[in-house]
């Protein structure tokens, strides 16, 4: 966080933050709040880490609910998440999710051994959004 706090201000510039700030909402909020104070516009697209859910702390939590919380947080902070014209350039945030399970050449044991399979364990998307269904769920 100190690095972000120490960045010089650029009040005439826009910044695009492309995810993986943290899986913790309070850290996301603090980081985006600091950046919003340093730039004219801040755009944000959540990464896979932002969508991690701790089922022990929030048994009913889902990645989609967390996404909605992050979008509400951005709205409250004035952080942009929708397309906007900045000068003569369009900034168009796109929401997607990177998950190695989408690599169909990777086997489930390989996926689970890579980084402990944390993306599979900590993200919770409804079945209808999963291309791989039960395989990705473990």
């Amino acid at each position: 966080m100190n690095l972000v706090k120490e960045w010089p201000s650029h009040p005439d510039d826009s910044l695009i933050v492309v995810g993986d700030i943290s899986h913790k909402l309070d850290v996301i909020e603090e980081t985006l709040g600091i950046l919003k104070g340093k730039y004219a516009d801040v755009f944000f697209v959540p990464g896979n880490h932002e969508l991690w859910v701790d089922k022990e702390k929030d048994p009913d939590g889902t990645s989609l609910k967390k996404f909605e919380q992050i979008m509400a947080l951005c709205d409250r902070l004035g952080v942009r998440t929708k397309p906007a014209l900045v000068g003569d350039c369009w900034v168009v945030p796109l929401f997607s999710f990177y998950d190695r399970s989408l690599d169909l050449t990777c086997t489930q044991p390989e996926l689970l051994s890579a980084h402990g399979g944390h993306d599979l364990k900590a993200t919770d998307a409804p079945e209808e959004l999963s291309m791989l269904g039960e395989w990705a769920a473990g």
Side-chain angles (χ1 to χ4, degrees):
M1 190 63 65
N2 287 335
L3 176 66
V4 175
K5 289 177 181 176
E6 293 171 3
W7 281 356
S9 293
H10 295 276
D12 298 325
D13 292 338
S14 295
L15 177 70
I16 301 170
V17 181
V18 292
D20 291 355
I21 292 174
S22 176
H23 63 284
K24 298 177 181 178
L25 287 172
D26 61 328
V27 174
I28 297 167
E29 181 174 13
E30 183 178 3
T31 302
L32 292 175
I34 292 168
L35 294 172
K36 183 67 178 135
K38 293 179 178 282
Y39 291 87
D41 287 300
V42 175
F43 290 84
F44 181 60
V45 175
N48 58 319
H49 295 163
E50 279 78 23
L51 302 181
W52 287 355
V53 176
D54 184 342
K55 288 296 194 175
E56 289 181 16
K57 292 181 180 176
D58 186 6
D60 297 325
T62 68
S63 293
L64 287 180
K65 286 180 186 176
K66 191 158 183 198
F67 177 82
E68 290 169 354
Q69 292 174 323
I70 293 168
M71 293 298 100
L73 175 101
C74 288
D75 284 346
R76 188 168 44 76
L77 294 174
V79 171
R80 297 176 133 191
T81 58
K82 298 176 180 145
L85 187 61
V86 178
D88 61 355
C89 179
W90 278 96
V91 177
V92 183
L94 299 176
F95 304 116
S96 64
F97 184 74
Y98 170 77
D99 184 334
R100 281 195 55 208
S101 69
L102 298 176
D103 177 357
L104 299 178
T105 65
C106 180
T107 66
Q108 188 176 25
E110 289 170 334
L111 180 62
L112 291 173
S113 68
H115 309 292
H118 198 74
D119 275 342
L120 283 181
K121 295 174 188 171
T123 53
D124 180 19
E127 181 71 26
E128 62 270 17
L129 295 182
S130 175
M131 290 178 22
L132 302 177
E134 290 180 21
W135 183 93

